[in-house]
Amino acid sequence: RLSVPFAVALSMARAKPKGKAAKWKVKEEGEEAAEAGQAEPPARQRIRETRFVGLITEWRGYMGWLQPLSKIEHDQASRHWGLLYVSQNDVTAVDGVVPWMRAGRIVDFYVYSDLEGLGAEEVRGLSPLRVTLSHGEAKTLLKTVGSPHWSEYLTESEYYLNLTKGSGLVRKYSWQLPFVTFELWGLIEEVAQEAVLFSSQGGATDRRLALLLPEDQIAKV
Protein backbone atom coordinates (compact mmCIF):
# COMPACT_ATOMS: atom_id res chain seq x y z
CA ARG A 1 0.00 0.00 0.00
CA LEU A 2 1.38 3.39 -0.95
CA SER A 3 1.76 6.18 1.57
CA VAL A 4 2.68 9.82 0.96
CA PRO A 5 6.21 9.79 -0.51
CA PHE A 6 8.90 11.51 1.46
CA ALA A 7 12.61 11.89 0.81
CA VAL A 8 14.72 10.17 3.41
CA ALA A 9 17.93 8.22 3.23
CA LEU A 10 16.38 5.07 4.63
CA SER A 11 13.20 3.45 3.35
CA MET A 12 10.76 2.69 6.15
CA ALA A 13 8.14 -0.03 6.19
CA ARG A 14 4.61 0.87 7.21
CA ALA A 15 4.42 2.11 10.79
CA LYS A 16 2.40 0.07 13.24
CA PRO A 17 -0.08 1.74 15.63
CA LYS A 18 1.52 3.22 18.76
CA GLY A 19 1.21 1.36 22.02
CA LYS A 20 1.10 -2.00 20.29
CA ALA A 21 4.79 -2.92 20.40
CA ALA A 22 5.26 -0.66 17.37
CA LYS A 23 8.68 0.06 15.90
CA TRP A 24 10.03 1.37 12.61
CA LYS A 25 11.64 -1.35 10.55
CA VAL A 26 14.76 -0.20 8.71
CA LYS A 27 15.27 -2.10 5.49
CA GLU A 28 18.67 -3.33 4.47
CA GLU A 29 20.31 -2.06 1.28
CA GLY A 30 19.82 -5.42 -0.43
CA GLU A 31 16.13 -5.41 0.37
CA GLU A 32 15.71 -1.95 -1.17
CA ALA A 33 17.43 -3.07 -4.37
CA ALA A 34 15.18 -6.12 -4.59
CA GLU A 35 12.05 -4.05 -4.03
CA ALA A 36 13.03 -1.60 -6.75
CA GLY A 37 12.39 -4.29 -9.34
CA GLN A 38 9.14 -5.49 -7.87
CA ALA A 39 5.74 -4.83 -9.40
CA GLU A 40 3.26 -2.35 -7.97
CA PRO A 41 1.59 -3.30 -4.67
CA PRO A 42 -1.50 -5.49 -5.05
CA ALA A 43 -4.65 -3.69 -6.11
CA ARG A 44 -7.18 -2.74 -3.50
CA GLN A 45 -10.61 -4.26 -3.37
CA ARG A 46 -13.45 -2.29 -1.79
CA ILE A 47 -15.30 -4.63 0.54
CA ARG A 48 -18.71 -2.91 0.27
CA GLU A 49 -20.28 0.13 -1.37
CA THR A 50 -21.30 1.47 2.03
CA ARG A 51 -19.74 4.32 3.97
CA PHE A 52 -18.61 3.62 7.52
CA VAL A 53 -18.02 6.12 10.34
CA GLY A 54 -14.88 6.08 12.46
CA LEU A 55 -12.53 8.11 14.60
CA ILE A 56 -8.88 8.91 13.92
CA THR A 57 -6.88 7.47 16.83
CA GLU A 58 -3.40 8.37 15.60
CA TRP A 59 -2.05 10.71 12.94
CA ARG A 60 1.58 11.11 11.86
CA GLY A 61 1.27 13.85 9.29
CA TYR A 62 1.01 11.66 6.20
CA MET A 63 -0.70 8.51 7.53
CA GLY A 64 -2.55 7.26 10.56
CA TRP A 65 -4.97 4.76 12.03
CA LEU A 66 -8.69 4.97 12.68
CA GLN A 67 -11.15 3.04 14.80
CA PRO A 68 -14.37 2.09 12.99
CA LEU A 69 -17.43 2.86 15.13
CA SER A 70 -19.46 -0.03 13.75
CA LYS A 71 -18.59 -3.67 13.22
CA ILE A 72 -16.92 -4.57 9.93
CA GLU A 73 -17.69 -8.06 8.71
CA HIS A 74 -14.49 -9.22 7.02
CA ASP A 75 -11.91 -11.93 7.61
CA GLN A 76 -9.17 -9.30 8.02
CA ALA A 77 -11.13 -7.07 10.39
CA SER A 78 -9.20 -8.20 13.47
CA ARG A 79 -5.76 -7.38 12.04
CA HIS A 80 -3.90 -4.35 13.44
CA TRP A 81 -6.00 -4.60 16.62
CA GLY A 82 -9.13 -3.72 14.67
CA LEU A 83 -7.74 -0.40 13.42
CA LEU A 84 -7.83 0.69 9.76
CA TYR A 85 -4.87 2.20 7.94
CA VAL A 86 -5.44 5.60 6.34
CA SER A 87 -3.10 7.61 4.12
CA GLN A 88 -3.22 11.35 3.52
CA ASN A 89 -3.60 10.43 -0.17
CA ASP A 90 -6.97 8.87 0.66
CA VAL A 91 -8.41 11.98 2.33
CA THR A 92 -10.97 13.68 0.07
CA ALA A 93 -10.19 17.29 -0.83
CA VAL A 94 -12.75 20.03 -0.12
CA ASP A 95 -12.71 22.95 -2.58
CA GLY A 96 -9.33 21.74 -3.80
CA VAL A 97 -7.80 21.59 -0.33
CA VAL A 98 -7.13 18.36 1.55
CA PRO A 99 -8.36 18.87 5.15
CA TRP A 100 -5.86 18.29 7.92
CA MET A 101 -6.45 15.13 9.91
CA ARG A 102 -5.73 14.78 13.63
CA ALA A 103 -6.33 12.30 16.40
CA GLY A 104 -9.91 12.56 17.62
CA ARG A 105 -11.48 13.65 14.34
CA ILE A 106 -14.59 11.79 13.24
CA VAL A 107 -14.69 10.80 9.57
CA ASP A 108 -16.65 8.63 7.17
CA PHE A 109 -15.06 6.42 4.53
CA TYR A 110 -15.20 3.31 2.38
CA VAL A 111 -13.26 0.23 3.47
CA TYR A 112 -10.89 -1.62 1.17
CA SER A 113 -8.76 -4.72 1.62
CA ASP A 114 -5.37 -5.76 0.30
CA LEU A 115 -2.68 -8.22 1.35
CA GLU A 116 -1.72 -6.03 4.34
CA GLY A 117 -5.19 -5.79 5.86
CA LEU A 118 -8.01 -3.25 5.78
CA GLY A 119 -7.74 0.44 5.04
CA ALA A 120 -9.93 3.50 4.55
CA GLU A 121 -10.36 5.38 1.27
CA GLU A 122 -12.33 8.44 0.12
CA VAL A 123 -12.09 9.65 3.71
CA ARG A 124 -14.23 12.71 4.51
CA GLY A 125 -13.90 14.82 7.62
CA LEU A 126 -17.23 15.33 9.40
CA SER A 127 -18.31 18.45 11.30
CA PRO A 128 -20.30 18.66 14.56
CA LEU A 129 -23.45 20.59 15.46
CA ARG A 130 -24.83 20.43 18.99
CA VAL A 131 -28.55 20.60 19.65
CA THR A 132 -30.57 20.28 22.85
CA LEU A 133 -33.91 18.60 23.48
CA SER A 134 -35.99 18.22 26.59
CA HIS A 135 -35.68 14.92 28.44
CA GLY A 136 -39.19 13.97 27.30
CA GLU A 137 -38.42 14.71 23.65
CA ALA A 138 -35.15 12.80 23.84
CA LYS A 139 -36.87 9.77 25.40
CA THR A 140 -39.46 9.73 22.62
CA LEU A 141 -36.78 10.09 19.98
CA LEU A 142 -34.65 7.22 21.29
CA LYS A 143 -37.50 4.83 22.02
CA THR A 144 -37.42 3.05 18.68
CA VAL A 145 -33.76 3.25 17.59
CA GLY A 146 -32.36 0.31 19.50
CA SER A 147 -29.41 0.10 21.85
CA PRO A 148 -26.68 2.75 21.87
CA HIS A 149 -22.98 2.13 21.28
CA TRP A 150 -20.00 3.14 23.40
CA SER A 151 -16.36 3.82 22.59
CA GLU A 152 -13.33 4.38 24.81
CA TYR A 153 -12.53 7.36 22.59
CA LEU A 154 -15.91 9.09 23.07
CA THR A 155 -16.05 9.60 26.81
CA GLU A 156 -19.08 10.85 28.78
CA SER A 157 -21.39 9.84 25.96
CA GLU A 158 -23.07 7.13 23.96
CA TYR A 159 -23.58 7.21 20.22
CA TYR A 160 -26.05 6.12 17.55
CA LEU A 161 -25.50 5.44 13.87
CA ASN A 162 -29.12 5.34 12.68
CA LEU A 163 -30.61 8.56 14.02
CA THR A 164 -30.05 10.68 10.91
CA LYS A 165 -30.83 10.22 7.24
CA GLY A 166 -27.17 10.60 6.27
CA SER A 167 -24.15 8.44 7.06
CA GLY A 168 -23.09 10.45 10.10
CA LEU A 169 -23.10 9.84 13.82
CA VAL A 170 -25.19 11.20 16.69
CA ARG A 171 -23.52 11.46 20.08
CA LYS A 172 -25.66 11.80 23.23
CA TYR A 173 -23.86 13.23 26.25
CA SER A 174 -24.48 11.93 29.75
CA TRP A 175 -24.15 15.36 31.40
CA GLN A 176 -26.60 16.04 34.23
CA LEU A 177 -28.43 19.07 32.83
CA PRO A 178 -32.06 20.26 32.59
CA PHE A 179 -31.94 19.23 28.92
CA VAL A 180 -30.28 16.54 26.82
CA THR A 181 -27.31 17.47 24.62
CA PHE A 182 -26.90 15.74 21.26
CA GLU A 183 -23.96 16.21 18.92
CA LEU A 184 -24.63 15.56 15.24
CA TRP A 185 -21.68 14.73 12.98
CA GLY A 186 -22.04 15.08 9.21
CA LEU A 187 -20.82 16.91 6.14
CA ILE A 188 -20.68 20.63 6.85
CA GLU A 189 -23.10 21.43 4.01
CA GLU A 190 -25.66 18.91 5.28
CA VAL A 191 -25.45 18.88 9.07
CA ALA A 192 -27.82 21.86 9.62
CA GLN A 193 -30.58 20.18 7.61
CA GLU A 194 -29.87 16.94 9.46
CA ALA A 195 -30.42 18.80 12.75
CA VAL A 196 -33.88 19.95 11.62
CA LEU A 197 -34.85 16.45 10.50
CA PHE A 198 -33.37 14.95 13.65
CA SER A 199 -35.38 17.16 15.98
CA SER A 200 -38.68 16.26 14.29
CA GLN A 201 -38.29 12.50 14.64
CA GLY A 202 -39.93 12.52 18.05
CA GLY A 203 -43.34 12.77 16.38
CA ALA A 204 -44.38 16.35 17.18
CA THR A 205 -45.55 18.49 14.26
CA ASP A 206 -44.12 21.67 15.81
CA ARG A 207 -40.80 21.52 17.60
CA ARG A 208 -38.44 24.13 18.96
CA LEU A 209 -34.83 23.38 18.01
CA ALA A 210 -32.15 24.83 20.27
CA LEU A 211 -28.55 24.97 19.13
CA LEU A 212 -25.75 24.85 21.70
CA LEU A 213 -23.00 27.32 20.74
CA PRO A 214 -19.76 28.48 22.38
CA GLU A 215 -20.10 31.98 23.81
CA ASP A 216 -17.51 33.43 21.41
CA GLN A 217 -19.54 32.20 18.42
CA ILE A 218 -22.90 33.73 19.34
CA ALA A 219 -22.13 37.04 17.65
CA LYS A 220 -21.64 35.24 14.34
CA VAL A 221 -25.14 33.73 14.31
Side-chain angles (χ1 to χ4, degrees):
R1 184 180 292 127
L2 297 176
S3 61
V4 175
F6 56 104
V8 292
L10 297 175
S11 174
M12 302 295 187
R14 179 187 296 175
K16 299 295 184 182
K18 287 183 179 179
K20 311 289 187 180
K23 292 184 179 180
W24 288 102
K25 179 184 176 183
V26 181
K27 296 181 180 178
E28 300 294 338
E29 184 176 350
E31 291 182 275
E32 292 188 8
E35 288 190 356
Q38 290 180 354
E40 289 294 315
R44 302 172 173 185
Q45 182 174 4
R46 186 173 291 183
I47 69 168
R48 194 175 303 128
E49 290 298 328
T50 301
R51 282 194 169 271
F52 293 83
V53 177
L55 183 143
I56 302 288
T57 61
E58 180 183 349
W59 191 253
R60 301 188 180 186
Y62 64 96
M63 56 76 63
W65 298 90
L66 66 81
Q67 174 69 60
L69 294 176
S70 61
K71 186 176 181 180
I72 297 177
E73 298 288 350
H74 194 274
D75 56 6
Q76 297 198 86
S78 61
R79 294 186 65 179
H80 307 299
W81 303 274
L83 302 179
L84 305 185
Y85 176 82
V86 56
S87 165
Q88 182 75 11
N89 288 339
D90 285 307
V91 178
T92 300
V94 178
D95 295 328
V97 178
V98 177
W100 181 252
M101 293 290 106
R102 59 176 176 79
R105 181 152 196 185
I106 294 176
V107 297
D108 72 0
F109 51 90
Y110 292 107
V111 178
Y112 68 86
S113 67
D114 61 17
L115 293 181
E116 297 186 36
L118 299 184
E121 61 183 359
E122 294 189 30
V123 179
R124 306 185 301 188
L126 303 183
S127 300
L129 182 63
R130 286 183 177 176
V131 303
T132 65
L133 297 178
S134 70
H135 287 276
E137 290 171 332
K139 184 176 180 180
T140 300
L141 178 65
L142 299 176
K143 188 178 297 183
T144 60
V145 297
S147 301
H149 305 271
W150 291 269
S151 169
E152 62 181 303
Y153 301 105
L154 299 174
T155 59
E156 297 186 290
S157 66
E158 59 193 34
Y159 68 91
Y160 300 82
L161 297 172
N162 56 347
L163 270 179
T164 61
K165 303 297 183 182
S167 62
L169 168 146
V170 176
R171 187 177 179 187
K172 174 181 174 288
Y173 284 91
S174 56
W175 299 331
Q176 298 300 311
L177 296 170
F179 49 82
V180 180
T181 302
F182 290 92
E183 189 173 75
L184 280 63
W185 287 83
L187 297 177
I188 193 167
E189 63 272 20
E190 299 175 0
V191 70
Q193 181 61 29
E194 289 284 5
V196 174
L197 296 174
F198 168 81
S199 68
S200 63
Q201 290 186 52
T205 55
D206 296 310
R207 183 178 295 272
R208 180 178 59 86
L209 177 63
L211 302 181
L212 193 61
L213 300 173
E215 185 175 356
D216 60 356
Q217 297 295 311
I218 294 178
K220 299 179 181 181
V221 176

